[in-house]
């Protein structure tokens, strides 16, 4: 109600105020895309960034569906462990994962957008066919792909329900 009244939020679909993981676990419905963009006061809820949570999200996708994850974190080392651990954990569930710097960095801090799917994640020229007012932004975003190095991935934790150090990983932010 606050978003509608003060921020012009005008939803076209169903709006639910509920923990996303709990909702997806109890709903048999499947989606072409699931977007994870959740934040608490200082960091995202760690239970949404575990292997088990990503498995729940994967099970809620249609064949070829896409999981999109947004996280605000340090992008370059030192301190970039949060997005790399997220990448590693997504890779334990999905065969195809890509990450992009989604915003300009301010003191190395920025949005990292991660995409995961059972199918390869490719542009296939879609950005060139996009509406002119967003085409430039899409092409810019695609040019900002992030690829964690082997050593960084090896050293990053695999986040699980038993070990989800997201708050610790984001402490430097």
């Amino acid at each position: 109600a606050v978003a509608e009244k003060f921020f012009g939020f005008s939803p076209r679909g169903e709006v639910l105020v509920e923990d996303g993981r709990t909702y997806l676990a109890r709903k048999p419905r499947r989606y072409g895309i699931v977007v994870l963009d959740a934040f608490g006061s200082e960091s995202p809820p760690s239970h949404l960034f575990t292997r088990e949570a990503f498995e729940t999200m994967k099970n809620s996708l249609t064949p070829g569906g896409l999981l999109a994850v947004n996280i605000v974190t340090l992008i370059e080392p030192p301190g970039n462990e949060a997005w790399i651990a997220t990448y590693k954990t997504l890779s334990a569930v999905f065969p195809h994962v890509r990450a992009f710097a989604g915003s300009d960095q301010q003191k190395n801090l920025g949005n990292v957008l991660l995409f995961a799917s059972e199918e390869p994640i490719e542009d296939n020229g879609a950005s060139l066919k996009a509406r002119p007012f967003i085409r430039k932004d899409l092409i810019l975003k695609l040019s900002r792909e992030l690829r964690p190095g082997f050593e960084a991935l090896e050293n990053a934790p695999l986040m699980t329900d038993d070990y989800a150090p997201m708050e610790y990983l984001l402490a430097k932010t």
Side-chain angles (χ1 to χ4, degrees), residues 7-173:
F7 299 104
F9 180 61
S10 180
R12 289 183 270 171
E14 183 180 16
V15 175
L16 301 164
V17 179
E18 180 177 350
D19 180 276
R21 181 175 175 182
T22 304
Y23 175 79
L24 292 175
R26 69 176 173 76
K27 282 297 211 179
R29 187 172 172 197
R30 297 210 177 247
Y31 301 90
I33 186 168
V34 171
V35 178
L36 172 56
D37 189 13
F39 290 88
S41 60
E42 293 291 327
S43 66
S46 60
H47 76 286
L48 296 177
F49 284 77
T50 66
R51 180 181 58 215
E52 295 85 354
F54 292 150
E55 287 170 353
T56 298
M57 294 173 208
K58 177 182 173 184
N59 291 335
S60 298
L61 292 171
T62 58
L66 185 73
L67 172 61
V69 178
N70 178 45
I71 184 170
V72 176
T73 181
L74 296 173
I75 295 176
E76 301 293 332
N80 63 341
E81 294 88 358
W83 80 261
I84 294 174
T86 302
Y87 187 104
K88 179 176 184 171
T89 305
L90 282 167
S91 297
V93 176
F94 293 91
H96 303 280
V97 178
R98 291 180 74 181
F100 300 87
S103 64
D104 291 332
Q105 298 176 35
Q106 300 296 324
K107 297 183 180 179
N108 194 25
L109 184 68
N111 289 74
V112 174
L113 306 174
L114 299 108
F115 299 93
S117 179
E118 286 284 307
E119 302 292 328
I121 304 165
E122 300 174 5
D123 177 31
N124 295 329
S127 61
L128 298 175
K129 297 175 189 169
R131 294 181 180 170
F133 64 93
I134 62 170
R135 183 179 306 137
K136 181 179 170 187
D137 287 340
L138 283 173
I139 292 169
L140 176 63
K141 299 289 189 254
L142 288 170
S143 73
R144 293 178 170 178
E145 186 159 6
L146 301 170
R147 293 182 180 92
F150 176 79
E151 187 174 331
L153 277 174
E154 282 292 308
N155 293 329
L158 177 70
M159 296 184 286
T160 67
D161 284 349
D162 292 330
Y163 183 67
M166 183 59 82
E167 289 181 2
Y168 170 76
L169 297 174
L170 288 170
K172 294 177 184 170
T173 64

